[in-house]
Amino acid sequence: MRFKRALPCAILWTAVYACLSPSQDANITSDALQLLDQGRCLFRSILPSDTAVQVLVCVFALMTIISLIVNGCTLFSLGRSEDLSWEPRFALLKNLIVSDVLLIVTQGPTVAHCLLQKTTLSYGAWCLTQFFINTVCVFCTVLTITCMAFERYLYVCQAIYYISILTTKRLYLIVSLTWLISICLSAVITGLLSLGHKSSLVGKPITGLLCEPDTLEAHLGFPRGSAVFRKVVGLLVTLLCIFSYSFSYLRMYQEARNAIQPFQQVNKRARKTVIFYCSMLLLQLLPIFLKIVSDALWELEGNIAMIRSLDYPGDWMSAGTLHIMLLVMLQVPPCINPLIYGLRNREVREALPRLLLHI
């Protein structure tokens, strides 16, 4: 009986919903098309040339594939080799590779999708997730490189105490701390950004192909607390990395010079090693340097002047060029890190072919 009484109500409700749904669907479709057109207009303001779009698609696809292949082979060789997996420097290298792979997996396909669809990224759950993961990976990469520099200093300059200092337990603690600190800092930055979140902004396209800090802060109305915290923390972590590299490799060069002063050939080799790693550090930190410079210019010029400057097409082109340069440079460290710290080592080069033959 209850079913028979409920049946007319269900039929009536279905009829009413059927009558209302076409207009609702039409409104939803209209809003979706409007947002899509807005995203495509923003995309064209950044990349007006179809040739440039096609070139960037090839560049991002190629860099993503190369990064995944090089990182995957290096990680596989380190994981399968019993002689290398226990060494602290290769344990830190595996941590660096995991961070790079996670970065490239979330960043490369996102940018490629926007380029293929010829629209900017929409603000929503994936935008915030991608921003959070990328921020974690960037912090983890910089902290891991800092630890790797100190590890080389202990190995060369404090060889007697190396094994007693870098025990397995302490090594696991160091790796865990790099992720814990990175996740905590990224959570605070993302949380401060979310304070400026408005429901009306969800689904609207941002002015970029990736949820990087500048575009996301501009979309959310420039939340001051998040911007200041991000800039200060990012500057401190970068300075810590530069200091650790400068101290460690200069001390290693001094030790090599004092130990083998008569042999100029070995001194030249030590000098070339220091120059190589310092140059590679500058290349790795180039995207961060670009962000620091842009943040400094933002603070010097002022928010109001910067917002007004975006009304001019020339400034739109400059901002779009800077955004694309940043995206391309963010792809560089995951490609070169395994080459710098992995394949450049003789042990890895010798272990990799043997392991690939056993696949």
Side-chain angles (χ1 to χ4, degrees), residues 94-112:
K94 288 191 290 185
N95 189 57
L96 180 65
I97 291 175
V98 171
S99 175
D100 286 342
V101 169
L102 187 59
L103 177 68
I104 205 73
V105 165
T106 56
Q107 180 175 282
T110 302
V111 177

Side-chain angles (χ1 to χ4, degrees), residues 22 56 67 94 103 121 127 135 170-171 241 260 271 295 303-304 326 345:
L56 284 174
S67 177
K94 288 191 290 185
L103 177 68
L121 188 64
C127 178
T135 307
R170 289 176 180 173
L171 185 61
C241 183
I260 47 178
R271 189 182 303 113
D295 291 339
N303 296 348
I304 298 178
L326 178 63
N345 294 307

Side-chain angles (χ1 to χ4, degrees), residues 271-327:
R271 189 182 303 113
K272 290 180 180 178
T273 301
V274 172
I275 293 175
F276 171 78
Y277 280 105
C278 291
S279 301
M280 291 300 101
L281 176 66
L282 294 177
L283 183 60
Q284 289 170 309
L285 297 182
L286 192 59
I288 299 178
F289 288 152
L290 180 62
K291 289 298 301 175
I292 292 175
V293 171
S294 65
D295 291 339
L297 292 176
W298 176 272
E299 294 296 333
L300 289 176
E301 294 182 8
N303 296 348
I304 298 178
M306 198 63 137
I307 295 173
R308 290 177 178 176
S309 68
L310 294 178
D311 294 335
Y312 298 95
D315 293 321
W316 264 112
M317 292 297 295
S318 301
T321 303
L322 188 66
H323 178 72
I324 297 300
M325 287 177 56
L326 178 63
L327 297 186

Side-chain angles (χ1 to χ4, degrees), residues 79-97:
R80 293 289 300 273
S81 176
E82 297 179 358
D83 298 331
L84 301 180
S85 59
W86 67 271
E87 294 188 23
R89 61 170 172 168
F90 293 122
L92 292 173
L93 177 58
K94 288 191 290 185
N95 189 57
L96 180 65
I97 291 175

Side-chain angles (χ1 to χ4, degrees), residues 7-199:
L7 185 59
C9 297
I11 295 174
L12 179 62
W13 172 253
T14 303
V16 171
Y17 179 77
C19 294
L20 292 178
S21 58
S23 60
Q24 292 176 350
D25 292 340
N27 292 333
I28 293 174
T29 304
S30 177
D31 294 340
L33 291 175
Q34 185 177 1
L35 292 175
L36 182 61
D37 291 338
Q38 184 180 355
R40 288 176 176 173
C41 290
L42 291 173
F43 181 86
R44 285 301 178 187
S45 65
I46 300 173
L47 290 169
S49 173
D50 290 334
T51 304
V53 174
Q54 295 173 0
V55 171
L56 284 174
V57 169
C58 296
V59 168
F60 275 95
L62 185 62
M63 295 182 73
T64 301
I65 294 172
I66 292 175
S67 177
L68 292 176
I69 292 176
V70 175
N71 281 281
C73 292
T74 307
L75 186 62
F76 178 78
S77 64
L78 294 176
R80 293 289 300 273
S81 176
E82 297 179 358
D83 298 331
L84 301 180
S85 59
W86 67 271
E87 294 188 23
R89 61 170 172 168
F90 293 122
L92 292 173
L93 177 58
K94 288 191 290 185
N95 189 57
L96 180 65
I97 291 175
V98 171
S99 175
D100 286 342
V101 169
L102 187 59
L103 177 68
I104 205 73
V105 165
T106 56
Q107 180 175 282
T110 302
V111 177
H113 177 267
C114 292
L115 290 172
L116 292 174
Q117 297 295 324
K118 295 183 180 181
T119 181
T120 58
L121 188 64
S122 299
Y123 175 72
W126 173 245
C127 178
L128 289 176
T129 302
Q130 173 257 305
F131 173 80
F132 175 76
I133 294 176
N134 286 3
T135 307
V136 170
C137 293
V138 170
F139 276 124
C140 186
T141 298
V142 176
L143 291 175
T144 303
I145 292 175
T146 303
C147 296
M148 294 174 75
F150 279 122
E151 184 273 335
R152 287 291 86 191
Y153 163 75
L154 293 175
Y155 181 81
V156 175
C157 301
Q158 305 291 332
I160 299 176
Y161 309 103
Y162 178 77
I163 297 178
S164 61
I165 293 175
L166 281 182
T167 61
T168 304
K169 184 180 294 185
R170 289 176 180 173
L171 185 61
Y172 288 154
L173 179 62
I174 291 172
V175 172
S176 301
L177 283 177
T178 58
W179 286 100
L180 180 61
I181 294 174
S182 302
I183 291 174
C184 291
L185 293 177
S186 303
V188 173
I189 294 173
T190 307
L192 291 175
L193 272 175
S194 300
L195 294 178
H197 170 83
K198 296 179 181 179
S199 58

